[in-house]
Amino acid sequence: MSQLKKLASQTAIYGVSTILGRLVNYLLVPLQVRVFNPAEYGVVGELYAYVTFLIVVLTYGLETGFFRFSQDEDKKEKVFSTAFISICITSIIFMFGMSAFAQPIANTIRYPTHPEYIIYFALILGLDAIASIPFALLRQQSRPIKFAIVKNINIFSNILLNVYFLLLCPYLLKGSHITLPFYDPSVGVGYVFISNLVSSIITIPLLFKEILQIKKGFDPVLWRKMIIYGLPLLVVGLGGMVNETLDRAIMKYLLPAGNDSMAQLGIYSANYKLSILITLFIQAFRYAAEPFFFSHAKSTDKRTIYAQVMDYFVIVCLGIFLLVTLFIDVFKYFIDKPYYEGLKIVPVLLLANVCLGIYYNLSIWYKLSDQTNKGALISMIGAGITIVLNILWIPVFGYVGSAWATFICYFSMMVICYFMGMKYYPITYHVKRALTFSSLAMILFIAGWYSRIYFYPGKMLFSLCINSILFLIFLAAVYMFVKKDKLLTSPASH
């Protein structure tokens, strides 16, 4: 339990401020969906789908490689220098290349009148990739306070710029002819991207002290070892981004002619954001868990610790799933009425992210055992499922098909990763316990979701009361489990 408390505290330190910042950033969704119509917001959803895909390419597995090779105390500085210099060189080449070919790229993705979007995103991606290794150094050195401060400066500067360009400037210009600095109404959606770019620029000087630790220079031999370890993780990351973002990138190409494809994309993107709470928890957990898992790689009870971590991870994810689905009548106000038709996909996307989180937890086996090629194989299988199902289902079911494709993909990866792990790096996870809590969560969800629709439609207050009782039942079950688990793992029990 002491190890679990340590991981929980690290997750809290890394995560609370990051989650707070991201939740505040999440408030940009109701602002943006009210400023832009679904078709315009679809542009934001599509281009950020490319960003999440390309950032994986630009870091090519060196973040995890940094944790893996910096376990040796004598090599930490050399590992950091080598990884940072490598990513700097490739990022600079990427930024110049994308900017030089901005117009042809804009033509290809059907934004011929906006090549500036390509330049904005090239700079955002390059700068974020360069910052990734200094951020990894902060995590490796257990310096969560600076990590959180820099991350939140990035987030809050982005928020303030969005508010300035999308809310304050249009309000001040209404009925007046004043000139506002750095504002042109015709830029429109472009200001979402400009705000992100400025916040990425601000981040680099804040990490200057960490960047100065490149004094050990570049080690070609070490670099080759890190690349051999990291390249399969690049495939893992690319597969993950295919699974997460491909649907938004290709939806407009697959929907039937005459269908308002950008509006459907906007509705899908907005409702996808309602699964953000699970995503935020997973992100906070990964910040703390990856260095935590590597630090316990040589301990004798590591497999017991990993199994216990999984128990509590599953419980928290299921709790978040129930929180959002049972109180969807509250969460839906984060988006606007034109987007409400997509609420039906929110439970599917939430369950998909639960499966993804469990997969991330399970995947530690191939990172610890240096079998990252096995992780690449699982990721490729998942990407294949995503591609095939989206191509088959989007033309027929629209964004609903994308949601179910996401769930089937993540569920399949979770199952495959579990059985491969049991073969190559066995950990005795408490599967029956996870299935019991999952079954309870599904029963409570079905009772709350469908009774809300069929038995008391339109009676929001009554619905919230009933669903609060259902949520309390889940919390009571969790309390009993935690109490029993503490008794079983206490020194007195041994």
Side-chain angles (χ1 to χ4, degrees), residues 205-234:
L206 298 175
L207 296 169
F208 193 63
K209 185 177 179 181
E210 285 66 43
I211 292 171
L212 288 178
Q213 296 189 35
I214 60 170
K215 51 194 173 188
K216 287 291 183 179
F218 184 82
D219 185 333
V221 176
L222 176 61
W223 180 79
R224 281 194 293 272
K225 291 179 181 178
M226 294 178 73
I227 289 296
I228 291 170
Y229 179 87
L231 281 181
L233 295 177
L234 168 60

Side-chain angles (χ1 to χ4, degrees), residues 87 371 417:
I87 284 185
Q371 299 187 68
C417 190

Side-chain angles (χ1 to χ4, degrees), residues 75-92:
K75 294 182 179 180
K76 283 184 178 180
E77 291 185 357
K78 187 174 288 186
V79 171
F80 173 78
S81 299
T82 301
F84 182 75
I85 291 170
S86 177
I87 284 185
C88 270
I89 292 171
T90 52
S91 296
I92 290 169

